[in-house]
Amino acid sequence: MTDRYDDIVKKVLVSEEEIAEITKRLGKIISTDYAGKELVLVGMLKGAMPFMMDLAKNITLPLEMDFIQTSSYHGGTSSSTAVMFKKDIDTNVLDKHVLLVDDVVDTAKTITKVLEIFKGRGAASIELCCLLDKPEGRVVPYEAKYVGKVIPNEFVIGYGLDYNELYRNLPYVGVVKDEVYK
Ligand code: IMP
Ligand code: MG
C-alpha cells in the first residue's frame, strides 16, 4: 500500500498493480472488438476520469473521447433516484460505436437512465465498460459488457471514486475506515 491517506483507508481492494492489469486486459479486448469501427469513449464524470485515461492508453485504435455528467449522490452513500445530465456530449454519435466508461455499477439506476437517453441518438452500438461491479447492490437488472473487477457491496474510494468529493486522487481503490463517516 502507498503511504497516501493511510489513516483513512481500512483495506486496499484494488491495488495499483491490479488496476494496471485490468486496464491492459480490457484495452486489449476492446481493441479487438472495435477494430475497424468508429469508436467513441464517453466517460461518466467525475468518477470515470482516471480509469478512462488508463483504459484509453491501452486501446490501440483511433477513438474519440467525450464526457457526460449525471446528477449524483449529493455527497451521501446511496443512489439518488432521478438522473439528469449536468453535462452532455457534443460529439455526433450517429452510426458510431459508443462505449460508456464508468467507475462502478451499483444499483444500475444511473446506467439504465443514461442508456435510455443514448438510445435515441442513433449510435450503431452502446456498451458499458466499468472498472468495478457491485452485483449485490442491483435494484435494476443490468450486466455491463466489460467489467474490471467484481467487488462486494462495500463503499469504496480512490482512483476516481469519492466520498464527499474527496479521495478521487488515490492511486488505488480502498475501503474507508468507519470513523471517516462520523
Ligand atoms: P448506481 O446508479 O447505483 O449504479 O450508481 C453508480 C454511481 O454511484 C457510480 O458511478 C458512483 O459515482 C457512485 N457509487 C456507487 N458506489 C460507490 C462507492 O462505493 N463509492 C463511491 N461512489 C459510488
Ligand atoms: Mg459515477
Side-chain angles (χ1 to χ4, degrees):
M1 152 142 56
T2 85
D3 58 358
R4 275 199 270 177
Y5 293 130
D6 274 359
D7 48 336
I8 60 116
V9 175
K10 184 160 68 179
K11 177 172 69 180
V12 175
L13 218 57
V14 197
S15 67
E16 286 187 75
E17 293 74 23
E18 191 174 359
I19 288 170
E21 283 167 22
I22 289 170
T23 53
K24 202 172 164 187
R25 171 174 59 83
L26 292 176
K28 208 169 168 185
I29 299 169
I30 290 163
S31 301
T32 305
D33 289 0
Y34 289 89
K37 295 176 175 169
E38 278 189 279
L39 174 59
V40 186
L41 293 187
V42 176
M44 293 165 65
L45 294 172
K46 303 168 189 172
M49 251 196 319
F51 176 52
M52 174 141 151
M53 291 309 104
D54 287 339
L55 180 71
K57 284 186 268 181
N58 282 287
I59 301 175
T60 55
L61 302 171
L63 57 82
E64 289 180 77
M65 288 187 200
D66 210 334
F67 298 91
I68 55 169
Q69 187 173 10
T70 59
S71 59
S72 68
Y73 260 6
H74 310 296
T77 56
S78 68
S79 282
S80 57
T81 44
V83 170
M84 275 172 38
F85 282 3
K86 279 195 229 167
K87 190 227 171 289
D88 203 346
I89 54 168
D90 48 34
T91 307
N92 179 3
V93 296
L94 187 68
D95 298 331
K96 293 178 187 168
H97 295 265
V98 171
L99 182 58
L100 293 159
V101 181
D102 204 3
D103 49 8
V104 57
V105 180
D106 182 13
T107 65
K109 284 184 192 172
T110 312
I111 185 61
T112 306
K113 299 271 170 55
V114 169
L115 285 171
E116 266 171 35
I117 297 169
F118 266 84
K119 273 179 185 148
R121 295 180 172 185
S125 70
I126 315 166
E127 298 290 352
L128 174 71
C129 177
C130 57
L131 173 70
L132 305 172
D133 188 4
K134 296 201 259 188
E136 292 160 27
R138 287 296 188 285
V139 171
V140 187
Y142 179 74
E143 221 177 296
K145 180 148 186 201
Y146 305 100
V147 176
K149 186 174 184 171
V150 174
I151 61 163
N153 203 4
E154 280 182 292
F155 193 79
V156 291
I157 53 151
Y159 197 62
L161 294 138
D162 74 302
Y163 172 61
N164 282 342
E165 291 300 325
L166 294 174
Y167 318 122
R168 295 189 198 274
N169 58 322
L170 278 178
Y172 55 83
V173 176
V175 182
V176 181
K177 282 184 182 167
D178 298 334
E179 46 267 42
V180 174
Y181 295 122
K182 280 178 195 157

